[in-house]
Amino acid sequence: MQELYIQQALSVQIGIKKSLRSGILLDEGMPVVLFFPDNTKKLVVLKRGKYTESKYGRIKHDDIIGKNLLGKFVKTNSGARILVQKPTIDEIIYSLFKRKSQVIYPKDAYAIISEAGLKRGDKVGEAGVGSGFLAAHILSVIGNEGEYYGYDLRDDMIETAINNLSLLGYDVSGKIRKKDVKEGIDERDLNAFFLDLPDPWNAVNAIYPSLAPDARIVIFVPTLNQVIKFLASIDDSSKFKINRIFETFSREYAVSKDALRPSPIQSSFTGYIISLVKISE
Amino acid sequence: MQELYIQQALSVQIGIKKSLRSGILLDEGMPVVLFFPDNTKKLVVLKRGKYTESKYGRIKHDDIIGKNLLGKFVKTNSGARILVQKPTIDEIIYSLFKRKSQVIYPKDAYAIISEAGLKRGDKVGEAGVGSGFLAAHILSVIGNEGEYYGYDLRDDMIETAINNLSLLGYDVSGKIRKKDVKEGIDERDLNAFFLDLPDPWNAVNAIYPSLAPDARIVIFVPTLNQVIKFLASIDDSSKFKINRIFETFSREYAVSKDALRPSPIQSSFTGYIISLVKISE
Amino acid sequence: MQELYIQQALSVQIGIKKSLRSGILLDEGMPVVLFFPDNTKKLVVLKRGKYTESKYGRIKHDDIIGKNLLGKFVKTNSGARILVQKPTIDEIIYSLFKRKSQVIYPKDAYAIISEAGLKRGDKVGEAGVGSGFLAAHILSVIGNEGEYYGYDLRDDMIETAINNLSLLGYDVSGKIRKKDVKEGIDERDLNAFFLDLPDPWNAVNAIYPSLAPDARIVIFVPTLNQVIKFLASIDDSSKFKINRIFETFSREYAVSKDALRPSPIQSSFTGYIISLVKISE
Amino acid sequence: MQELYIQQALSVQIGIKKSLRSGILLDEGMPVVLFFPDNTKKLVVLKRGKYTESKYGRIKHDDIIGKNLLGKFVKTNSGARILVQKPTIDEIIYSLFKRKSQVIYPKDAYAIISEAGLKRGDKVGEAGVGSGFLAAHILSVIGNEGEYYGYDLRDDMIETAINNLSLLGYDVSGKIRKKDVKEGIDERDLNAFFLDLPDPWNAVNAIYPSLAPDARIVIFVPTLNQVIKFLASIDDSSKFKINRIFETFSREYAVSKDALRPSPIQSSFTGYIISLVKISE
């Protein structure tokens, strides 16, 4: 059972790797996005013998696998034409990663990375790894030259994050540890630190000795009570200065030639981002 | 005169390079961010003999240069304590890049890059380079392994973009050309294409032959008339499918312990993002 | 059947009338709002022998009717305590009015009335009455001293609007007519005119002769294509000047002591409001 | 001096009264709105011998006074044509009322009135009258049949509010008192109560005995700290239930035929509205 799971994950991992390369035909294990006539879309992982159901009819994966269908149309059993394309990395992450917790969405992940000033080769820590969605973005920016250290309190989260990140080819099995960062961490000279914890005010002083003198710290919290508690914890003796507090949004419009307008009901809140700079004295 | 300019630019370029490395003391030519007591901040490039004025008094650059003041406080002539820190890349871009045109802000730049599925090693084109702000983000993601081709109609824009990008150490002098992409471009197999043009509907078909079969195309336009015109240009015979149309926002909160609230007046619109996928048949 | 309907409507009408007066005990036919422990609420019209189901158990209307339960708690069959209160007028309108069409919500209705400068005693016209939601707000402002003229193309809409408005005690049976305002209307000296039509650009000139010299005209449209078409229809020879184009929003927060935050998914678009002033020459 | 002020105020009061009636020619003391070619506008009170400066040239009030210029164009000294119209009530309030404090804007005033279920004839109280902007909206809804009681701690506020409201013909000179509502108020059976105080959590229990059993209470606060403190003050023994917590927005679009888009910088926050229902046991 466990072996089967590993084998499947491996197959998807290989498929994703292929998918992110150019000039590769659509093959079993590869994720593809199906674009339907009503401007909805669905990401599916191709598998021999499998079908994907839709309101336009059933799509046979064998009609796609091994065919040169990239950017072309596959026909459903009822004759509808469905566009087949490769997904972007973010479409892969947000469709294929398992979710064991509230996840951080691209709009927030990129804002967090921008605030942290993250770049290739950086050495970073993250407390509250969760399902590893932010970690995927961090790893992509710091690259192989960078160093990533994750901390979480729950075994199942750590396992989920490791499995999720392996899909993108990142091996972080030794890099995410079960640890309460409030007790301090061993790493030193981290360029950036990310906190997605219920009580970041209890953690920032503990991680202080691990930060490089020019480190940026970025906190993500889902409630205003937490923002206010964090603000209350900062005073003149604090070793951090708050740089910005903000929210991000994305407003979706219906893709309609004759009736362009925002989607009437949509996501309108995820969380608050607090960014800090270190004070060295 | 021109020589002096190049020399100064070179000095800033070296300063930025130093700034983006860890463990480097604050030196002449390096950009630093000054964080004031009222939660405002200012990025300045350090220069011997220079002063920066503020409502808290005058800051002498010589008090910072060569001192180990990173994350520490410099005193103004009237005794106020001002925190000195290194800037993030985005703080550098949005403070030091010259602006010859409306620029693309981080919130949009990152959303555009996410939609394009951009990754290390990609080969991309950009029409309407402007002052090079989006290009800075693109170059950072695709890295040295990637290939960037920019097109613009105005010599002064091209020069501005090349100078701006050189500050971050990117040499794109041969890569940004004066060209109307509506006449087609020579490059082939581009993974992604970015358009910041007044009339993208006139350009997408011309760039079509230059795109890889799985290319994503992302358009940025500042008006709804352009969104509607672009939608009107798409029909059943089109070689592109519209994936998403959206806006991004960032809502800033006052950094205030006792009066947390959004800033009453703030930026509330930049532009619309339209993302496309290629159709190959 | 029809008679039964009229009788029921009459009973509700009387109940609403009672409800909007102070010092009246809760009686059959009266609408009440049930506030549940999870901060949801429900408006029900009290009826002998009836029960209202909820996840907290079943509420027996006979436990409320005739009792002095205003602002007190009724117990469900499983013992939960549910607060009983009278509804506001807007809660009545948006719960009890039948909906035959997209309706105009309070946030837009009040903005429309403010733009029109509506006041007691005004003489107004409305084209595209729909289910009469905006009309309810208009009638409340202009009062008995005012004059309201509604126009709609559909018999079922007119009937729905008349029935809905009768619930609040407004008799507009002769005041809403089946008429295409593009052919002109007979009324004269209207202080304000409201248009909720698919093609307002085809209607404004036809209603022009019916407007007082200082009339304000307010248009509500659900798409950007309509806003752009309306703008395109205005030129130097136009008899109207556009005063404002805007959208309204309301952002709901979860009523939670420990986790104050905006509702993650909520209504984020209804329509655009265009307000005009008349040009007399 | 004081007399002159009263005389001027009286003249404006008469002018506004005239302005709000139909069929009245433009006369001295009347407010008019000047609509400029660039879609900006300005409200001015007409005065013999006076000029209004604009970037389109100087407008002579004597060219408007006594002329039948309603909805017509007045020429500036440089020949530009400026549209002259009567203002709406809200344009009058927000242009002519003096501001001694942060004021409540129409978008919030109407939302507050909707939440309170305010209607003609209601008996209401308001603590924290400020400059009287919300009171103007309240008085317009409750009409002469209603009763309004205002409370404020500052003499200058009370005077400002009384003068402002007199411009619309409301005489509230005996109705706004200098009083701390935290000590309780004498009025009874109020249908609605409005609080715009720094610490509403200290006031709600004091006003409780003055409220009718079906009263609605609406609180306006400018910070999240206040929302959280108010939430914290509510528990199972409370005599109020929180109905809604929300913010309102209005998004302005540039009135432009060829470049429709939201104004890039605009008001994006005013305050939070908390609405309560009374619990009677």
Side-chain angles (χ1 to χ4, degrees):
Chain A
M1 184 68 186
Q2 172 66 1
E3 212 163 302
L4 181 68
Y5 173 79
I6 291 172
Q7 226 177 322
Q8 281 178 341
L10 200 68
S11 140
V12 176
Q13 185 184 326
I14 292 167
I16 291 171
K17 206 169 175 182
K18 281 184 186 171
S19 173
L20 294 175
R21 287 231 303 279
S22 279
I24 301 276
L25 286 194
L26 297 174
D27 201 2
E28 179 154 33
M30 283 175 71
V32 296
V33 188
L34 303 172
F35 290 90
F36 296 102
D38 62 355
N39 292 316
T40 58
K41 56 182 177 173
K42 185 172 188 166
L43 187 145
V44 298
V45 176
L46 296 175
K47 194 172 160 61
R48 291 215 173 274
K50 209 183 154 186
Y51 294 85
T52 292
E53 300 292 341
S54 82
K55 69 174 179 183
Y56 297 98
R58 141 184 307 197
I59 295 146
K60 196 177 174 178
H61 287 208
D62 287 337
D63 288 349
I64 303 174
I65 293 168
K67 311 277 159 56
N68 193 358
L69 268 189
L70 199 59
K72 296 185 180 165
F73 294 86
V74 66
K75 275 198 178 150
T76 67
N77 67 334
S78 49
R81 298 169 75 237
I82 311 298
L83 180 64
V84 181
Q85 258 295 7
K86 284 188 184 173
T88 64
I89 304 184
D90 286 347
E91 286 166 353
I92 290 170
I93 294 174
Y94 291 89
S95 294
L96 296 185
F97 273 28
K98 289 223 172 67
R99 298 174 184 222
K100 276 272 178 183
S101 55
Q102 268 299 98
V103 306
I104 291 182
Y105 287 94
K107 69 185 190 71
D108 293 315
Y110 286 110
I112 287 168
I113 278 169
S114 168
E115 281 303 296
L118 213 63
K119 57 190 182 308
R120 186 144 287 257
D122 273 353
K123 203 171 152 185
V124 304
E126 183 189 17
V129 172
S131 309
F133 284 66
L134 179 59
H137 292 276
I138 294 170
L139 287 160
S140 144
V141 174
I142 64 173
N144 296 329
E145 307 91 313
E147 293 176 41
Y148 170 83
Y149 302 96
Y151 314 92
D152 207 289
L153 295 176
R154 282 171 51 184
D155 286 320
D156 60 335
M157 287 292 186
I158 294 172
E159 197 191 325
T160 301
I162 289 171
N163 285 338
N164 280 338
L165 293 165
S166 77
L167 293 180
L168 297 179
Y170 298 118
D171 178 6
V172 289
S173 44
K175 301 295 180 56
I176 306 184
R177 269 160 287 178
K178 188 175 179 178
K179 191 167 180 57
D180 186 346
V181 297
K182 284 162 230 161
E183 296 159 7
I185 51 173
D186 299 332
E187 284 68 33
R188 286 296 175 271
D189 286 316
L190 300 174
N191 303 109
F193 207 96
F194 304 94
L195 296 113
D196 184 3
L197 301 176
D199 56 345
W201 50 87
N202 287 327
V204 286
N205 289 329
I207 58 157
Y208 182 84
S210 300
L211 303 171
D214 56 350
R216 297 279 179 134
I217 304 91
V218 190
I219 296 168
F220 184 81
V221 286
T223 75
L224 287 158
N225 306 63
Q226 290 165 301
V227 177
I228 283 177
K229 271 184 201 156
F230 191 82
L231 277 160
S233 77
I234 294 286
D235 60 28
D236 286 350
S237 71
S238 290
K239 296 184 158 307
F240 298 97
K241 181 164 180 74
I242 298 180
N243 179 27
R244 278 176 77 192
I245 301 174
F246 64 106
E247 274 185 277
T248 71
F249 301 84
S250 158
R251 192 179 202 202
E252 299 292 321
Y253 285 72
V255 177
S256 164
K257 203 183 281 267
D258 301 316
L260 180 67
R261 60 176 145 186
S263 306
I265 308 254
Q266 53 182 289
S267 166
S268 59
F269 173 72
T270 50
Y272 300 97
I273 297 169
I274 306 173
S275 82
L276 313 175
V277 294
K278 186 178 173 176
I279 297 175
S280 296
E281 62 191 10
Chain B
M1 186 67 187
Q2 174 66 1
E3 213 163 300
L4 181 67
Y5 174 80
I6 291 172
Q7 228 177 319
Q8 281 178 340
L10 201 66
S11 141
V12 175
Q13 185 183 326
I14 292 167
I16 292 171
K17 208 169 174 179
K18 282 184 185 171
S19 172
L20 295 176
R21 288 230 304 277
S22 279
I24 301 276
L25 287 194
L26 297 174
D27 201 1
E28 179 153 33
M30 282 174 73
V32 297
V33 188
L34 303 172
F35 290 89
F36 297 102
D38 62 355
N39 291 316
T40 58
K41 56 182 176 173
K42 186 173 187 166
L43 187 145
V44 298
V45 176
L46 295 175
K47 196 173 159 58
R48 291 215 173 274
K50 211 181 152 186
Y51 293 87
T52 292
E53 301 291 342
S54 82
K55 69 174 180 184
Y56 297 97
R58 142 184 307 196
I59 295 145
K60 197 177 175 178
H61 288 210
D62 287 337
D63 287 350
I64 303 175
I65 294 170
K67 311 276 160 57
N68 193 358
L69 269 189
L70 200 59
K72 296 184 179 165
F73 293 87
V74 66
K75 275 200 179 150
T76 67
N77 67 334
S78 48
R81 298 169 76 238
I82 312 297
L83 180 64
V84 180
Q85 258 295 5
K86 284 189 185 174
T88 64
I89 304 184
D90 286 346
E91 286 167 354
I92 290 171
I93 294 175
Y94 291 88
S95 294
L96 296 184
F97 273 28
K98 289 223 172 66
R99 298 175 184 220
K100 277 270 179 184
S101 55
Q102 269 300 97
V103 307
I104 291 180
Y105 286 94
K107 69 186 189 70
D108 293 315
Y110 286 109
I112 287 169
I113 277 168
S114 168
E115 281 303 295
L118 213 62
K119 57 191 180 307
R120 185 145 287 257
D122 273 352
K123 202 172 152 184
V124 304
E126 183 189 18
V129 173
S131 308
F133 283 66
L134 178 59
H137 292 276
I138 294 170
L139 287 160
S140 143
V141 174
I142 63 173
N144 296 328
E145 307 90 313
E147 294 176 40
Y148 169 82
Y149 303 96
Y151 313 93
D152 208 290
L153 294 176
R154 282 171 52 183
D155 286 320
D156 60 335
M157 287 292 185
I158 295 171
E159 199 191 322
T160 301
I162 289 171
N163 286 338
N164 279 338
L165 293 165
S166 78
L167 293 180
L168 296 179
Y170 298 119
D171 178 7
V172 289
S173 46
K175 300 296 181 56
I176 306 184
R177 269 159 288 178
K178 188 175 178 177
K179 192 166 179 56
D180 185 347
V181 296
K182 283 163 230 161
E183 296 159 5
I185 50 173
D186 298 333
E187 283 68 33
R188 286 297 174 271
D189 286 316
L190 299 174
N191 303 109
F193 207 95
F194 305 94
L195 296 112
D196 184 3
L197 301 176
D199 55 346
W201 49 87
N202 288 326
V204 284
N205 289 329
I207 59 156
Y208 182 84
S210 300
L211 302 171
D214 57 349
R216 297 280 178 131
I217 304 92
V218 190
I219 296 169
F220 184 80
V221 286
T223 75
L224 287 158
N225 306 64
Q226 290 164 301
V227 177
I228 283 178
K229 271 185 200 157
F230 191 82
L231 277 161
S233 77
I234 295 286
D235 60 28
D236 286 349
S237 71
S238 290
K239 295 182 159 309
F240 298 97
K241 181 163 180 75
I242 298 180
N243 178 28
R244 277 178 77 193
I245 302 174
F246 65 107
E247 275 183 275
T248 71
F249 301 83
S250 159
R251 193 180 201 200
E252 298 292 321
Y253 286 72
V255 177
S256 164
K257 203 182 281 266
D258 302 315
L260 180 66
R261 60 177 144 185
S263 307
I265 307 253
Q266 55 181 288
S267 166
S268 59
F269 173 72
T270 50
Y272 300 96
I273 297 170
I274 306 172
S275 82
L276 313 175
V277 293
K278 187 177 172 176
I279 297 176
S280 295
E281 59 191 12
Chain C
M1 183 67 185
Q2 174 66 3
E3 213 162 299
L4 181 68
Y5 174 78
I6 290 171
Q7 227 177 319
Q8 281 177 341
L10 201 68
S11 139
V12 175
Q13 185 183 325
I14 292 166
I16 291 171
K17 207 169 174 180
K18 282 184 186 170
S19 173
L20 295 175
R21 287 229 306 278
S22 278
I24 301 276
L25 286 194
L26 298 175
D27 201 2
E28 180 154 33
M30 282 175 72
V32 297
V33 188
L34 304 171
F35 290 89
F36 297 101
D38 63 355
N39 292 317
T40 58
K41 56 182 175 172
K42 185 172 188 167
L43 187 145
V44 298
V45 176
L46 295 175
K47 195 173 160 59
R48 291 215 174 275
K50 210 181 152 187
Y51 293 86
T52 292
E53 300 291 341
S54 82
K55 69 174 180 183
Y56 297 97
R58 141 184 306 197
I59 295 146
K60 196 176 176 179
H61 288 208
D62 288 336
D63 287 349
I64 303 175
I65 293 169
K67 312 277 159 56
N68 193 358
L69 269 190
L70 199 58
K72 296 185 180 164
F73 294 86
V74 67
K75 275 201 179 147
T76 68
N77 67 335
S78 49
R81 298 171 75 238
I82 312 298
L83 180 64
V84 180
Q85 259 295 6
K86 284 191 185 173
T88 64
I89 305 183
D90 286 346
E91 285 166 354
I92 290 170
I93 294 174
Y94 290 89
S95 293
L96 295 184
F97 273 28
K98 287 225 172 64
R99 299 174 185 220
K100 276 272 178 184
S101 55
Q102 268 301 99
V103 307
I104 291 181
Y105 286 94
K107 69 186 189 69
D108 293 315
Y110 286 110
I112 287 169
I113 277 168
S114 168
E115 281 302 295
L118 214 63
K119 57 192 180 306
R120 186 144 286 257
D122 273 352
K123 202 171 152 185
V124 304
E126 183 188 18
V129 172
S131 309
F133 284 66
L134 179 59
H137 292 276
I138 293 171
L139 287 160
S140 143
V141 175
I142 63 173
N144 296 329
E145 307 92 312
E147 295 175 39
Y148 170 83
Y149 303 97
Y151 313 93
D152 207 290
L153 295 176
R154 282 171 52 183
D155 286 320
D156 60 336
M157 287 292 185
I158 293 171
E159 198 192 323
T160 302
I162 288 171
N163 286 338
N164 280 339
L165 293 166
S166 77
L167 292 180
L168 296 179
Y170 299 118
D171 178 6
V172 290
S173 45
K175 300 295 181 57
I176 305 184
R177 269 160 288 179
K178 188 175 178 177
K179 191 166 179 57
D180 186 346
V181 296
K182 283 162 230 162
E183 296 159 6
I185 51 174
D186 297 333
E187 283 68 33
R188 285 296 176 271
D189 286 315
L190 300 174
N191 303 110
F193 207 96
F194 304 94
L195 297 111
D196 184 2
L197 301 176
D199 55 345
W201 49 88
N202 287 326
V204 284
N205 289 328
I207 58 156
Y208 182 84
S210 299
L211 302 171
D214 57 351
R216 297 279 178 132
I217 304 92
V218 190
I219 296 168
F220 185 79
V221 285
T223 74
L224 287 158
N225 305 64
Q226 290 165 301
V227 177
I228 283 178
K229 272 185 200 158
F230 190 82
L231 277 161
S233 77
I234 295 286
D235 61 28
D236 286 350
S237 71
S238 291
K239 293 181 161 309
F240 299 97
K241 183 165 179 73
I242 298 179
N243 178 27
R244 277 177 77 192
I245 302 174
F246 64 106
E247 274 183 275
T248 71
F249 302 84
S250 158
R251 193 181 201 200
E252 298 293 321
Y253 285 72
V255 177
S256 165
K257 204 182 280 266
D258 301 315
L260 180 66
R261 59 177 145 186
S263 306
I265 308 253
Q266 55 183 286
S267 165
S268 59
F269 173 73
T270 50
Y272 300 97
I273 297 170
I274 306 172
S275 82
L276 311 177
V277 293
K278 186 178 174 176
I279 297 175
S280 295
E281 61 190 12
Chain D
M1 185 67 187
Q2 173 66 1
E3 211 164 301
L4 181 68
Y5 174 80
I6 290 171
Q7 225 178 322
Q8 280 177 343
L10 201 68
S11 139
V12 175
Q13 185 182 325
I14 292 166
I16 290 171
K17 208 170 175 179
K18 282 185 185 171
S19 173
L20 294 176
R21 287 232 303 279
S22 278
I24 300 277
L25 286 195
L26 298 175
D27 200 2
E28 181 154 32
M30 282 174 71
V32 296
V33 188
L34 304 172
F35 290 90
F36 297 102
D38 63 355
N39 292 317
T40 58
K41 56 182 177 173
K42 185 172 188 167
L43 187 144
V44 298
V45 175
L46 295 176
K47 193 173 161 61
R48 292 215 175 274
K50 209 183 155 186
Y51 292 86
T52 292
E53 301 291 341
S54 82
K55 70 173 179 183
Y56 296 97
R58 141 183 307 196
I59 295 146
K60 197 176 175 178
H61 287 208
D62 287 337
D63 287 349
I64 303 175
I65 293 168
K67 309 278 159 56
N68 193 357
L69 268 190
L70 198 58
K72 296 184 181 166
F73 294 87
V74 66
K75 275 201 177 147
T76 66
N77 67 334
S78 48
R81 299 170 74 238
I82 311 299
L83 180 64
V84 180
Q85 258 295 5
K86 285 190 184 172
T88 64
I89 305 183
D90 285 346
E91 285 166 354
I92 290 169
I93 294 174
Y94 291 88
S95 294
L96 295 185
F97 273 29
K98 289 224 173 63
R99 298 173 185 222
K100 276 270 179 186
S101 55
Q102 267 301 98
V103 306
I104 291 182
Y105 286 93
K107 68 184 191 71
D108 293 316
Y110 287 109
I112 287 168
I113 278 169
S114 168
E115 280 303 295
L118 213 64
K119 58 191 181 303
R120 186 145 285 258
D122 273 353
K123 202 170 153 186
V124 304
E126 183 189 17
V129 173
S131 309
F133 283 67
L134 178 59
H137 292 276
I138 293 170
L139 287 161
S140 143
V141 174
I142 63 172
N144 296 329
E145 306 92 311
E147 295 176 39
Y148 169 83
Y149 302 97
Y151 313 93
D152 208 289
L153 294 176
R154 282 170 52 182
D155 287 320
D156 60 335
M157 287 293 186
I158 294 172
E159 197 191 325
T160 302
I162 288 171
N163 286 338
N164 279 338
L165 292 165
S166 78
L167 292 181
L168 296 180
Y170 298 119
D171 178 6
V172 289
S173 44
K175 301 294 181 56
I176 305 184
R177 270 160 287 179
K178 188 174 177 177
K179 191 167 181 54
D180 186 347
V181 297
K182 283 162 232 163
E183 296 158 6
I185 51 174
D186 298 332
E187 284 69 32
R188 284 297 176 270
D189 286 316
L190 300 175
N191 304 108
F193 207 95
F194 304 94
L195 298 112
D196 184 3
L197 301 175
D199 55 346
W201 49 88
N202 287 327
V204 285
N205 289 329
I207 59 158
Y208 182 85
S210 300
L211 302 171
D214 57 350
R216 297 280 178 131
I217 304 93
V218 191
I219 296 169
F220 184 81
V221 285
T223 75
L224 287 158
N225 306 64
Q226 290 165 301
V227 177
I228 283 178
K229 270 184 200 156
F230 191 82
L231 278 161
S233 77
I234 295 286
D235 60 28
D236 286 350
S237 71
S238 290
K239 295 183 158 310
F240 299 98
K241 181 164 180 73
I242 298 180
N243 179 26
R244 276 176 79 191
I245 302 174
F246 64 106
E247 274 183 276
T248 71
F249 302 84
S250 159
R251 192 180 202 200
E252 298 292 320
Y253 285 72
V255 177
S256 165
K257 202 184 281 268
D258 302 316
L260 179 66
R261 60 176 145 186
S263 307
I265 308 256
Q266 54 182 287
S267 165
S268 59
F269 173 73
T270 50
Y272 300 97
I273 297 170
I274 306 173
S275 82
L276 312 176
V277 293
K278 187 178 174 175
I279 297 175
S280 295
E281 61 191 12

